[in-house]
């Protein structure tokens, strides 16, 4: 992944998390619909199992909806699986959508790299490097940073509860 950002007002979100699981368990948590609904979404949101469909292979598409638990507001998005290299790398596009599927924002690229780290007291540990963008302007970049950060905290909790099983 290129850490050099262009100096043209376009930014990419970079986040790194060390997670208490093997790469295969984290990779599966990104692709398995029975797992992704347990952690995807910012605090206060859920992704109901009946609001996500996916054809998880390179060139396949997905569509999902986060529902705000207090208001019922829906946030739809969709994308394409571009690169799937289990269990170390995945690359998908993401685009906000209206409920009818009409595009409601630019297409962004999300890349996730999973690197095993030395075991921590006999427990698997993986460095997850996340990159998303491009973003024009700081406001939306910061909103995504908050949302993904909360999602990754939920992912860490999910992995801890399930013993990092793949």
């Amino acid at each position: 992944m290129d850490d050099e950002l262009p100096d043209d007002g376009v930014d990419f979100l970079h986040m790194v998390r060390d997670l208490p699981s093997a790469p295969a368990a984290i990779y599966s948590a990104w692709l398995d619909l029975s797992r992704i609904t347990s952690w995807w979404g910012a605090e206060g949101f859920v992704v109901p199992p009946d609001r996500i469909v996916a054809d998880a292979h390179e060139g396949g598409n997905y569509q999902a909806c986060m529902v705000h638990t207090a208001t019922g507001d829906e946030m739809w998005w969709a994308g394409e699986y571009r690169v799937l290299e289990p269990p170390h790398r995945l690359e998908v596009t993401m685009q906000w959508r209206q409920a009818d599927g009409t595009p409601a924002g630019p297409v962004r690229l999300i890349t996730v790299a999973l690197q095993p780290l030395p075991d921590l007291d006999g427990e698997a540990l993986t460095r997850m490097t996340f990159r998303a963008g491009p973003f024009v302007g700081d406001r939306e970049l910061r909103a995504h940073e908050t949302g993904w950060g909360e999602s990754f905290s939920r992912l860490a909790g999910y992995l801890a509860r399930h013993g990092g099983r793949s």
Side-chain angles (χ1 to χ4, degrees):
M1 280 184 268
D2 182 9
D3 289 329
E4 295 292 318
L5 298 178
D7 191 16
D8 58 2
V10 176
D11 286 318
F12 289 82
L13 175 58
H14 291 258
M15 301 177 86
V16 176
R17 294 287 170 98
D18 291 345
L19 297 169
S21 296
I26 299 165
Y27 189 90
S28 179
W30 272 93
L31 293 179
D32 183 329
L33 297 186
S34 67
R35 296 169 193 215
I36 202 165
T37 56
S38 298
W39 67 270
W40 231 6
E43 290 297 323
F45 286 88
V46 294
V47 177
D50 66 342
R51 299 288 180 90
I52 184 170
V53 292
D55 186 12
H57 71 274
E58 288 185 5
N61 295 306
Y62 72 93
Q63 179 175 304
C65 178
M66 285 188 293
V67 179
H68 193 273
T69 56
T71 65
D73 290 345
E74 297 180 344
M75 297 178 69
W76 288 88
W77 74 99
E80 176 187 355
Y81 295 99
R82 293 256 179 105
V83 176
L84 297 177
E85 297 174 357
H88 298 291
R89 184 169 181 265
L90 61 101
E91 188 175 284
V92 300
T93 62
M94 178 203 172
Q95 183 180 41
W96 292 114
R97 301 285 177 100
Q98 301 295 332
D100 67 3
T102 304
V107 175
R108 296 204 167 89
L109 184 63
I110 294 173
T111 302
V112 177
L114 303 169
Q115 174 189 8
L117 297 174
D119 286 355
L120 179 67
D121 297 327
E123 299 293 325
L125 187 64
T126 299
R127 175 154 297 149
M128 180 178 76
T129 303
F130 172 89
R131 183 176 192 247
F135 295 93
V136 178
D138 194 56
R139 185 172 157 240
E140 194 169 15
L141 175 74
R142 296 298 158 228
H144 276 257
E145 181 177 42
T146 298
W148 282 110
E150 291 171 355
S151 287
F152 297 155
S153 292
R154 292 176 66 186
L155 173 60
Y158 169 83
L159 294 166
R161 285 189 309 278
H162 292 84
R165 292 185 303 267
S166 57

